[in-house]
Amino acid sequence: MPFMPPSPQKKAMDRRQLIRPSTHIPWSVDVVSVVPKVLVDKLLNQEITASASCPGWACVSTGDGMVWVWRNRSSSQSDASIEPPKPLKIFLPDLLLSNNNNDADGNGNDDSPVPQLALTGDGESVHLYVLFQGWLFLRKLTQKDWTTRQVGARPYTAKLRIALEDEDTGSMDPEMVTTLTATPTGNASSLMVILGSNKGNLYWVTHTAVPVGMQLQKIAPPSSGLWNRLIGSSPTPAEEVGQDQWVLPLDASHFWAITTSKLALWKVDRTAAQPTFEILQQHEYWGSAEFRIESLLEATLLVPARETDQSNSTIMHCIVRGTGGRRTSSSSDGGKLYWLQVNLQTAKVEKSHWLSRFASPANVRTLGLTCTPNGDAYASFLASNTIIVMVLLGDDASNSSSILQEVDLPNTQVPMLVPNMFQSDTVTHGCNMVASSGIGLRARYLSSSSSSSSMMMTSPSKKRARHHHASSSATNVNLLVNHLRSFFWQSYQDPTAVSIHNMPPSLQQASQDELEAAAVQFGYELQQKGDTSSANNPMEWHKAYCSLLQQGGLYRSLSPAARWRLLGMGQELAVFGQLARMPVANPSAAGGTSMDSSSDPLRPYDIGQWLLDLYQVDPSSKNYSTSQWNELLTVALETAINYRHEMASPVYDIVVPTNDDDNAMVVTPGGGGSSNVPSKIPEVPLWTSQPALQTLVKLQLEEWKRSNAKSEEGGPVDLVHVEAVVKAALVSYSEATQPKAMKLYPQVRALALDLLRSVTKEGEDELAFELAIQYHHFRGLCQISVDHEKKMDAATYSLDPLFGKITEVDIETGFSFAQYVLQWHTDNGLYGHAINYGRHASNDLKVLMEKDERLQKYQWIPAIRQQYYGQATESCLQFSDKTNLSNHHWSLSMAKLANKLVVKKDEKRTRAIENKLDLVDAQQLLLGDSQEKVAESEVMLPEALINLALTKLDGEQGQENRVSLGMVALVVCASMEDQKIALQYAATIWAECFRLDDSLWNTWTQHEDTITKESFYEDTVFGRLLEDCRRTRDEIKNTDVIYGLHIESSVLDKLGVSQASKIEISRLLRSVTAEDDAIQGQSIVVARME
């Protein structure tokens, strides 16, 4: 198969963005669609006879009688593959009629019959109109047609013969239809289809439903006197016959009819069986007193969206050809092209823009004109085999010199535009078009609100400021460059000639934009003149040029963006000057050799790419060692950074403060450096932020990390080289504007600082710490500080002085410096560090401690620090460790201490703390294990403690131990919050103690005279426990747990004896337990029980 070169469509698709927005060209031109594959060759071979489009649809006709219709939709794909649409093919045999077949058209001979197409759609169906040799064909395409891809046996839905004059008149110049206008959207009831003739008449096409068809009606008012002078039923004046006329539909009932001299607003009444027409408004002349309109090339309406009658407020954009003054068309000046904005209500030209780019308007072809919803208007032209797209901005009417912008489309991909396919874009405020190469384009101008008079402007590497150069045509800028070139070389050879009086007047009178564009362009020209093989010194020229601009008074007119560009040129020239002296980089230097067998020579521009190419060269072709490469790279990077800091102020009037000034750069307005209030812009090194150099330093850092900073020869990489690359990488990526580089910045920052620490001697982290502060690497700061906290230089690396000084946030987490430090130490288990640093940011620490469970139990520490003793007490109580008895005891002890410092005492809380401490003491006594096991045990509930005590009480033999266990159990009951439950457990304890001496109680119940108080208190556990309780009554929190009449019945119930036994036991207990002053009262009660 022979080789076939790629088509323009394929080339364009390989490059989805034909024009990328830039500082000088603020346009975006993207490939968003393609035409069907079957039509690509037909477009390239110019086989298309007619074309038309409406929102979402497009069609073309070919000379073989075919009409192709397809969905013309913009693609939102991000890749380079756009699926070509599948067209619907319609064959119209009538388009094959012979040119000599006069019977078919009824309108006379036409030497070059060309069909006219029109499309209109309502979302569900599409109406295709074809006008050819006196016949109007209508084809309605429905969803069924697109599903089956078949249009049926009948190629058209309706067919109408256009018979404008009797065939028997024999006129040598018969009236013929020449224009076809249809509203782009709407259904059958709101469609507006109007035909125009070569005699200046308009005809209305009415659609009929049953049967489906069309009817023709001449548009004329009820009385023939008013409109006949423009477009009426009476003969049109000879001087107006053949004039350009445009029909601009306004809505379903109104349209404007425009000629070069007159205009009228028509109203259509469709309520009757046959539509009637009425002229609502007309004007005899709508041109300007400054020129005469000779031809109307394009026209479109800008209709505000409003619910009221839109005919009351209508603006027309049009492209016209005219001559100066009210001259005739035979004027010898050839005329000019104007872009007019006309108020149709007043017939006044509100804005007029001379398209000064076109020196020969007669050779310019207007290809389209459309308006966007935001008020902008786009137009396309063909001139000198180049497609030009212009935009007339509608949001800056006050500045007529900047609201007209233009861009040239690449003629390889866009050799020509398909007619009648220039529309406003529904996605952006731009325009859509179809190129003859088969690609669909979206073009839009990216407006900017930057003010040329303001010096408050971000560096062009940080914020790509866009300048309006609509009035700065290439001719004007090139002319100014020529003047600058002549003026510079004259002053360079003879410095005494530098005077503002000797300066070309064009430089003094030029607008700021034109002067700025010329100044930068000539600066690049000087930069590219130098080379390593000659004695030319481009740096000397560059500095002399900047000095000339300042001494001549031109520099003060340059914006910060232009000064930054000049500084970027100086940086690169400084690097070039240093590398040119190095034999390894310059073969022409003393002892110089080529660095590799295929590298390009060193030039004073694109040095970043040159270095990257050297780094990526095949190792087999390298003629230099690793140490030589490291030295070369170090010299380049250090030279660029040092040049900015040393030369920015004296040469470029840009002040570079120290790091203590927040790394800001200052531009002094006026160029004299005497302003008391300078304007700050971010520090951005233009040359070191180039993508090629960013890629280079990243690759170099990664290579050193893999090799542990070892050279290919095996020795360690010089620390000076590592430091230079680390500094350059941090500067470059920290100020990146490209999304890819911005995303890589955190990775590169960590890589650079970690590498720097790994190659320096242990403990010598001064530079790494300083860079971490400067570039806000909070993780590195925390790690370095922790690594040095137990060394003699701990104060040098302390984070305490940085709180309040670092105001930036971490780019990965969004945390402030304080928030990051607290979180980092918490995540690394350094809770004490986090709480200690929290004294600098109490609010941040409070928030962290509330949400992080690891710190919640330490909330009492900052509370005590801030003397919130009540909060500290509550924190100790709330977050006391229940899994570890020792920690729990410690928390309760701290709560007790903090609670003592509270000014307004809370008795309930104090009592709760004491009770919890009693429970801890009880558990320690009851467990009886080793101190370590007791401390590590979990905290037991009061119920569990009582059960444990009762269990041990039952198994214990010694009376002393039994009494101790009973007392512990009662103390636990006294510490319980629920009084009812506490008394129930207390009754259980007393009953259990009673059972321990069952033999004595049996004897005493049978022989009451044998029981005495002495034997009760000495021989029974019950008595001894009661005696101890009464003796220590003041130490028991809840004295109700002590045995008495209030729990006697509960105790007797717990014994499980009969009622009679209860009475006997009660009598005995009361006789021995009652205090002396209560014996008489208790005896009375017992008597009543009996």
Side-chain angles (χ1 to χ4, degrees), residues 1004-1020:
W1004 286 339
T1005 54
Q1006 295 175 6
H1007 308 282
E1008 294 185 13
D1009 57 343
T1010 61
I1011 186 172
T1012 63
K1013 282 189 176 183
E1014 291 75 8
S1015 61
F1016 169 72
Y1017 285 113
E1018 292 180 1
D1019 300 335
T1020 65

Side-chain angles (χ1 to χ4, degrees), residues 7 40 197 218 235 282 492 499 504 597 687 778 814 912 1005 1030:
S7 66
V40 174
S197 74
K218 188 174 184 178
Q282 69 173 344
Y492 183 75
S499 172
S597 59
W687 184 70
F778 299 159
T1005 54
R1030 287 175 175 175

Side-chain angles (χ1 to χ4, degrees), residues 170-232:
S171 174
M172 298 300 295
D173 186 18
E175 184 178 10
M176 296 182 298
V177 174
T178 57
T179 61
L180 168 62
T181 303
T183 52
T185 59
N187 51 37
S189 61
S190 62
L191 282 177
M192 183 180 292
V193 181
I194 300 175
L195 306 179
S197 74
N198 61 339
K199 296 297 183 68
N201 293 321
L202 298 178
Y203 295 87
W204 180 270
V205 177
T206 303
H207 296 75
T208 58
V210 180
V212 178
M214 297 179 291
Q215 297 179 357
L216 189 67
Q217 178 184 354
K218 188 174 184 178
I219 298 177
S223 60
S224 60
L226 183 62
W227 176 243
N228 287 341
R229 290 175 297 172
L230 179 64
I231 304 176

Side-chain angles (χ1 to χ4, degrees), residues 261-557:
S261 59
K262 301 175 183 179
L263 57 85
L265 174 61
W266 285 86
K267 179 180 180 181
V268 184
D269 186 359
R270 308 190 191 197
T271 58
Q274 187 174 14
T276 60
F277 307 94
E278 176 185 0
I279 297 178
L280 299 181
Q281 182 181 349
Q282 69 173 344
H283 297 278
E284 292 291 333
Y285 181 75
W286 58 273
S288 171
E290 300 176 357
F291 58 88
R292 174 183 176 84
I293 299 175
E294 293 185 346
S295 59
L296 179 61
L297 304 179
E298 284 286 346
T300 188
L301 288 180
L302 175 64
V303 182
R306 50 190 298 181
E307 297 180 357
T308 58
D309 186 4
Q310 297 185 6
S311 63
N312 294 330
S313 177
T314 306
I315 300 297
M316 176 180 69
H317 284 263
C318 58
I319 308 296
V320 302
R321 182 182 292 113
T323 56
R326 293 187 177 273
R327 302 181 185 178
T328 64
S329 59
S330 60
S331 175
S332 59
D333 62 4
K336 298 179 179 179
L337 288 184
Y338 293 90
W339 189 326
L340 305 182
Q341 189 171 330
V342 183
N343 187 328
L344 296 179
Q345 297 297 321
T346 61
K348 299 297 183 182
V349 177
E350 293 186 345
K351 294 182 179 65
S352 173
H353 299 273
W354 171 40
L355 304 183
S356 58
R357 167 166 182 163
F358 306 118
S360 302
N363 298 327
V364 177
R365 180 179 174 185
T366 306
L367 301 178
L369 177 65
T370 186
C371 292
T372 61
N374 69 335
D376 296 345
Y378 285 82
S380 57
F381 304 89
L382 173 64
S384 302
N385 297 322
T386 300
I387 302 297
I388 304 104
V389 177
M390 295 187 180
V391 60
L392 182 62
L393 301 179
D395 57 352
D396 191 13
S398 61
N399 188 0
S400 60
S401 64
S402 64
I403 61 177
L404 191 62
Q405 309 289 341
E406 63 182 51
V407 64
D408 292 2
L409 303 184
N411 54 15
T412 301
Q413 291 85 5
V414 191
M416 183 58 183
L417 295 184
V418 180
N420 302 319
M421 291 192 180
F422 191 81
Q423 300 176 337
S424 62
D425 181 44
T426 57
V427 179
T428 65
H429 295 310
C431 61
N432 286 338
M433 65 202 83
V434 178
S436 59
S437 58
I439 59 175
L441 305 175
R442 174 192 296 147
R444 63 188 177 109
Y445 175 78
L446 306 178
S447 60
S448 173
S449 58
S450 60
S451 173
S452 60
S453 61
S454 173
M455 300 297 291
M456 294 283 293
M457 184 175 181
T458 306
S459 164
S461 288
K462 195 69 174 177
K463 176 183 178 183
R464 294 294 181 183
R466 188 164 55 247
H467 302 279
H468 293 294
H469 295 304
S471 59
S472 308
S473 65
T475 303
N476 291 342
V477 173
N478 289 336
L479 178 63
L480 292 176
V481 170
N482 291 334
H483 292 174
L484 267 176
R485 184 184 299 111
S486 174
F487 185 47
F488 168 75
W489 289 116
Q490 180 183 0
S491 63
Y492 183 75
Q493 297 172 2
D494 184 6
T496 60
V498 178
S499 172
I500 192 172
H501 302 291
N502 299 334
M503 185 180 299
S506 60
L507 299 178
Q508 297 173 318
Q509 299 175 6
S511 67
Q512 178 180 355
D513 288 349
E514 292 177 345
L515 177 62
E516 189 169 295
V520 173
Q521 182 174 326
F522 183 61
Y524 284 128
E525 179 181 320
L526 286 177
Q527 179 182 358
Q528 296 177 10
K529 281 183 175 296
D531 58 68
T532 58
S533 60
S534 66
N536 295 335
N537 189 346
M539 173 58 78
E540 181 180 341
W541 297 339
H542 176 78
K543 290 184 177 180
Y545 175 57
C546 293
S547 177
L548 173 68
L549 294 176
Q550 293 179 349
Q551 295 179 22
L554 301 178
Y555 198 82
R556 67 169 62 95
S557 300

Side-chain angles (χ1 to χ4, degrees), residues 43-64:
L43 286 170
L44 295 175
N45 298 331
Q46 301 182 359
E47 298 177 10
I48 303 301
T49 58
S51 57
S53 65
C54 68
W57 299 91
C59 68
V60 296
S61 64
T62 54
D64 55 0

Side-chain angles (χ1 to χ4, degrees), residues 20 28 31 150 334 366 521 543 575 591 635 673 753 769 814 890 955 974 993 1022 1043:
R20 187 183 301 274
S28 174
V31 179
Q150 299 293 331
T366 306
Q521 182 174 326
K543 290 184 177 180
V575 174
V635 170
L753 292 178
F769 195 71
W890 185 89
C993 291
F1022 192 104
Y1043 179 79

